[in-house]
Amino acid sequence: MSFLAKANPGRLLLDDSVALTAAIEASQKLQSHTEYIIRVQRGVSSENSWQVIRRYSDFDVLNNSLMVCGVSLPLPPKKLIGNMDREFVAERQRGLQAYLDAVTQHPLLCVALPVMKFLDPNNYAVNYTEIALQQVSMFFRSDPKWEVVEPLRDVGWRIRKKYFLVKNKEQAKESYLLSWVDLGPDKFLSAKDLQSTMKLLAGLSSPYVCPLLFSSTGESSALLIRPFGEAGSLRDHLCKANPRENFLKKYGNPKKCRPLELSHIKLYGRQILEGLRLLHESGLFFGHLHASNVMLDEGACRLTDVENGMLGVPSALRPAVTRFRKINTTESVDVFCFGHLLYEITYGRPPGGVPVDTYPDAPSAAVVSVLRSILSTEACKSRMPTVSQLIQTPLFSDVALQHSEKVPIRVPSRLKEALRAAKERVEKRLQEEQKMLHQHRRLTRAQSHHGSEEERKRRKILARKKCRQSTCENEDDSVSVRNNNNSGSGASSPPTCPSSPTPPPTAEHAPF
């Protein structure tokens, strides 16, 4: 029986990866300060929007909380005298809008808790750290052999996931990572099937997947324990970062990032692909591959947090995936994420945007070939290669693995069917979101084209042509009517002859 708290029946499962946009609609002056009215929207639907009111001092507090990332943000400077002048307020409003744009478009800052609280206080007022501590305390009372060494504050980007360094009193020298996570909108397994899946992962023995030592799932959250990797993640290795530091400090603006050598690109890439193949062949779905979810363990790469797909939490790359309707299966999502990771370990930084059609010099043409097969415009608009096809490419096919034997995951038939049904629902929600975004982009392009200067000129020219054509047609009609009238009056009069006398009028026809 799970010790975790039950879900609130009215609880809304938010997808924290959906982008928030913010536009300052107006400003209003009060006695001693100016307030800015901000329209915030989640996703592409204008119906999912709301207003928040913020002062300049609120922007200043937000900026101070984000300074740890080392990114230079364009916050307008303070002004003590004359800060209520109309021209100054208008100029400051433009500056604050530029600041909001910079924050909401940054890949890490846009999902940071201070930003979410600033823009959406109603949905992010909950103290998740306090909730996690309560759940962990309940767990320790039920299993007293565990104890907290220290909380690892904000080491990951997820708002609804908290980490603690713990130890087992029976093995005091070993360190373990305890994580508490809120279930997400893609959680489609029943409570029983989810518990069975977690037990399956706990019994998994693979050189390419991090072991899960303990798990407990409730109706709204899960608690997990796995070994703590002192070497950190693959991204920690690339950024030369301390795995225990704040994620904004580690990855916000890293100065020491270095790409991997070709031999490590080939080896690590093949090991990651082997981990993905194992999951897919077992009917499990991941969707959360990135450099922070790959742990380095004695020269080997191992996938971690593989339970995320079953727990339904949103993927870090979901905003990018939803832009391409051909990336609509769990395997194609994993392949797309692998392309991102391969780019990062090749060049020492993630791609600035996708699709990518131009590549800097790489240590091998085979690397660029694989990247093009995943990240190019053609690949994103057609089909992703499969994991097996990537393993067979020249870049990875000749890699000698230390652990070449396959260790299949034995999944009971009933659970396999439940996983298949859940995976289909995950894919369906993704496809529906992709369709909505596609329709929104078509509408936006149509509106933009309709309102463009070139289109307005074209419509004016057409209107003038139609007006001239209509005028000509009216003139032609008038001429035709006059001609018909003239020809009609001559035909109705009897022919007369000058030598013939005019007949006298009759009683039936009075003279005009």
Side-chain angles (χ1 to χ4, degrees), residues 95-401:
L96 293 177
Q97 183 63 62
Y99 176 82
L100 286 176
D101 293 341
V103 169
T104 55
Q105 293 170 14
H106 191 280
L108 288 182
L109 297 182
C110 67
V111 293
L113 182 57
V115 176
M116 292 298 199
K117 282 186 174 181
F118 182 87
L119 296 176
D120 189 4
N122 291 336
N123 285 314
Y124 294 94
V126 176
N127 189 331
Y128 290 102
T129 301
E130 185 65 29
I131 294 176
L133 286 171
Q134 292 174 4
Q135 303 289 344
V136 171
S137 299
M138 292 171 63
F139 165 66
F140 286 152
R141 287 198 294 269
S142 66
D143 194 348
K145 70 180 180 182
W146 296 96
E147 66 178 6
V148 172
V149 177
E150 63 173 306
L152 301 175
R153 299 186 183 279
D154 300 324
V155 295
W157 70 273
R158 292 193 184 280
I159 293 173
R160 307 167 197 270
K161 190 170 187 177
K162 302 300 176 182
Y163 298 89
F164 302 86
L165 193 65
V166 299
K167 69 177 182 179
N168 188 330
K169 296 178 182 178
E170 299 172 359
Q171 299 173 323
K173 294 184 179 180
E174 299 292 331
S175 296
Y176 300 91
L177 182 67
L178 183 151
S179 58
W180 171 88
V181 59
D182 219 9
L183 302 184
D186 277 328
K187 184 262 179 185
F188 295 118
L189 287 171
S190 67
K192 181 179 179 181
D193 290 333
L194 183 57
Q195 291 176 1
S196 299
T197 305
M198 294 299 105
K199 289 180 180 179
L200 190 72
L201 292 176
L204 176 62
S205 176
S206 169
Y208 309 118
V209 178
C210 285
L212 185 63
L213 302 181
F214 173 86
S215 67
S216 178
T217 57
E219 295 182 22
S220 63
S221 60
L223 189 147
L224 311 121
I225 298 178
R226 52 173 39 97
F228 177 72
E230 294 288 349
S233 68
L234 181 56
R235 181 164 290 151
D236 291 330
H237 178 72
L238 292 172
C239 297
K240 304 294 184 290
N242 183 344
R244 305 188 187 194
E245 285 185 337
N246 180 295
F247 84 101
L248 285 178
K249 183 177 181 180
K250 290 189 294 184
Y251 312 135
N253 189 22
K255 301 294 193 301
K256 300 179 181 179
C257 276
R258 296 290 184 272
L260 298 181
E261 296 179 355
L262 180 60
S263 59
H264 286 121
I265 293 174
K266 292 169 65 71
L267 176 62
Y268 292 170
R270 177 63 185 273
Q271 291 171 341
I272 292 167
L273 289 172
E274 289 293 340
L276 291 177
R277 179 160 67 173
L278 173 65
L279 295 177
H280 293 160
E281 289 178 349
S282 305
L284 300 171
F285 47 96
F286 188 25
H288 295 264
L289 176 63
H290 53 79
S292 293
N293 276 348
V294 177
M295 305 304 294
L296 288 177
D297 185 8
E298 297 181 354
C301 280
R302 311 182 80 177
L303 304 182
T304 189
D305 287 5
V306 296
E307 69 282 349
N308 278 355
M310 278 63 73
L311 297 176
V313 296
S315 169
L317 289 178
R318 188 178 182 88
V321 170
T322 53
R323 296 174 53 215
F324 305 104
R325 300 184 71 181
K326 294 296 184 180
I327 309 176
N328 54 13
T329 65
T330 54
E331 182 175 8
S332 63
V333 170
D334 280 335
V335 170
F336 180 76
C337 294
F338 177 79
H340 264 254
L341 187 149
L342 180 62
Y343 188 103
E344 186 172 353
I345 63 178
T346 301
Y347 298 111
R349 64 186 186 280
V354 177
V356 181
D357 293 313
T358 303
Y359 296 86
D361 293 337
S364 169
V367 178
V368 176
S369 177
V370 174
L371 287 173
R372 287 188 187 279
S373 72
I374 301 173
L375 301 181
S376 67
T377 300
E378 182 181 358
C380 291
K381 291 185 177 180
S382 55
R383 292 282 180 184
M384 293 283 109
T386 65
V387 171
S388 296
Q389 288 171 343
L390 289 176
I391 291 176
Q392 294 168 4
T393 59
L395 182 62
F396 302 117
S397 60
D398 61 348
V399 175
L401 296 174

Side-chain angles (χ1 to χ4, degrees), residues 417-459:
E417 178 61 25
L419 288 168
R420 185 195 61 78
K423 183 176 73 169
E424 288 180 353
R425 294 183 66 182
V426 169
E427 292 173 347
K428 182 180 179 181
R429 191 177 89 87
L430 172 62
Q431 292 161 14
E432 290 174 347
E433 191 171 331
Q434 289 172 331
K435 181 180 179 180
M436 183 187 305
L437 181 60
H438 177 70
Q439 292 173 342
H440 171 75
R441 287 190 301 190
R442 288 185 62 184
L443 178 61
T444 302
R445 285 197 299 266
Q447 291 173 340
S448 176
H449 176 69
H450 187 75
S452 65
E453 184 65 28
E454 181 180 350
E455 177 63 14
R456 285 199 296 267
K457 288 181 180 178
R458 189 186 71 84
R459 291 199 302 271

